[in-house]
Structure formats: C-alpha cells, structure tokens
Amino acid sequence: MSDAMLEMTGIVRRFEQGGAVLEVLRGADLTVRAGELVALVGPSGAGKSTLLQIAGLLERPTAGVVRVAGADVSDADDATRTAIRRRSIGFVYQFHHLLPEFTAQENIVLPQMIAGVAKRVARQRADDLLRMVGLDARGSHRPARLSGGEQQRVAIARALANAPSLLVADEPTGNLDPHTAEAVFAMLSAIVRQARVGALVATHNMELARRMDRILEMRDGLLVEHAPV
C-alpha cells in the first residue's frame, strides 16, 4: 500500500480575466508522504495559494489528477469532496481563526462534533491534543487570553482533531516573532512525524523550509524540487 497522503499529477489551473486566459498552474506534480514535511516556496503571486486550495479540495483544477490518502477525488462531487476534506485534511493558516467566544478545548471539540463524534469522545481527544501541543493547562482559556504562539498551537491541534491524513498549512508561522515561530515549527514537525501525517507547508521563511524534508519551488506554473541544505 502506498504511503502517499497527497498526489497531484499534471495540475493545470486557468482563470479568465477580461477575456484573457491566465494560466497559473501549467502541469504541476507533487507527492507528500506519511510523516513528511514538504515546503512550498516561491514569490507572492506564483500560484502557491492556488495549489494549496486545490490540494485541500477547496478548489478544482482545470485539468489534472488529485488523490488524497489514495482516493482519486478528481471527479468527485461536492458532497464527496466535503466529506473527504472533513475526514482526511487539516488546515492551518497564518492567522489562527479560532472562534473567540469558545475556549481552546471547545475550538478543538467543534470540528469533531461536526464530523459526528460524540461530545464526550471529542472532549477527550481535545484534551489529548492540548497535552500534545503543551497546552493542557490552558484548555479552559478563550483565545484572547492566549499568546500568539499559544493560539497557533491550538489552531494546529484543531487541524489534527479528526486525525487527518494530510495537513495543509499556509504560512503557519508567518504571524509570529522568530523565537515563537521556531517553537511552533518544532512542535508541528514533531507532531507530523509522530502522527505520520503528510504536511504541505507554504512559507516565505527559507530557514524553516530548509529544515523540512523537501523544498518545492513554484516557478512559471510548475514545481521545481530543491534539496534542503
């Protein structure tokens, strides 16, 4: 059985703008395996966000094949894509997007309950994840009472709430100071290894990118691989 958590083959994405066709992705290929951190780099406007949206099943490619945890979702209907996204994909963004009126624990419980998990089981899972990210003593705190690094740790725990196969992260440390960013990245890396999640991480921080397993650079609508140094 393949350990590929994400496979994208020949991904093309075109947009129409004022009668003209803009081709953002021109046949991009990538694979992310279990327990692997893959950095996605490139200048703003190169197509990184579009690729992440397609990888996370939030957008459809114009052409190409997308497989998540071995399942071909290229032609799946919206209901199937939503179900796979909810079950198999976790998202982390530059800003934590935690619900301010809920505690850290409740923010992790909610996506589980949406997925049909019993509240008691969801709470136990949330407590386990808070312990994993070093915040077991902060579960009853609302986001406003947490530091920026703590908020992002909760966001990572929330992304892992439904035990996804794939983690899609867009600048997960971009809103943090260098010291906090280092701590959050170290924690994220450890969790990816431990949980055997495949992680695709877009970043402008080349120091962090070089510490991942592989670096993919978005260049002219294609992906070029660089060996970390």
Side-chain angles (χ1 to χ4, degrees):
M1 180 180 295
S2 172
D3 65 348
M5 298 294 100
L6 173 66
E7 296 173 276
M8 303 176 75
T9 307
I11 300 299
V12 174
R13 186 66 174 103
R14 301 186 188 96
F15 298 91
E16 289 190 15
Q17 290 187 340
V21 175
L22 175 64
E23 194 168 52
V24 176
L25 302 175
R26 300 191 300 109
D29 300 317
L30 72 85
T31 300
V32 180
R33 302 191 180 281
E36 183 180 41
L37 281 154
V38 177
L40 179 62
V41 304
S44 297
K48 299 191 303 300
S49 293
T50 298
L51 188 76
L52 289 180
Q53 293 281 97
I54 294 172
L57 308 187
L58 295 169
E59 187 173 320
R60 293 179 183 270
T62 306
V65 176
V66 180
R67 292 185 178 88
V68 175
D72 188 340
V73 296
S74 307
D75 297 320
D77 59 27
D78 289 342
T80 300
R81 290 166 65 87
T82 297
I84 292 174
R85 188 167 58 243
R86 186 177 294 160
R87 180 179 67 247
S88 299
I89 305 175
F91 297 89
V92 183
Y93 299 100
Q94 180 174 351
F95 299 98
H96 57 79
H97 296 301
L98 298 174
L99 298 173
E101 66 272 29
F102 293 101
T103 67
Q105 185 204 55
E106 289 166 344
N107 268 278
I108 303 169
V109 165
L110 283 172
Q112 299 179 74
M113 294 186 67
I114 291 171
V117 176
K119 191 171 186 178
R120 178 184 58 81
V121 176
R123 281 178 172 169
Q124 183 59 59
R125 169 74 173 162
D127 289 343
D128 290 344
L129 286 167
L130 285 168
R131 192 174 304 111
M132 185 182 292
V133 300
L135 292 177
D136 45 316
R138 309 283 274 170
S140 63
H141 292 194
R142 290 185 171 85
R145 295 184 59 197
L146 302 174
S147 70
E150 288 172 336
Q151 291 169 345
Q152 198 65 330
R153 287 178 182 226
V154 175
I156 290 170
R158 180 184 58 186
L160 296 168
N162 289 324
S165 305
L166 174 67
L167 193 65
V168 176
D170 193 358
E171 297 286 352
T173 63
N175 197 40
L176 304 174
D177 65 80
H179 177 76
T180 305
E182 165 64 29
V184 169
F185 175 78
M187 182 214 67
L188 175 63
S189 179
I191 289 175
V192 166
R193 310 294 190 207
Q194 179 181 339
R196 298 284 294 163
V197 180
L200 179 63
V201 183
T203 182
H204 282 101
N205 187 331
M206 288 305 299
E207 288 187 15
L208 292 185
R210 292 187 188 100
R211 292 169 54 192
M212 300 190 211
D213 298 299
R214 290 186 291 128
I215 299 174
L216 298 177
E217 180 186 357
M218 183 65 69
R219 186 189 299 171
D220 296 327
L222 299 172
L223 288 169
V224 179
E225 183 163 348
H226 300 265
V229 294

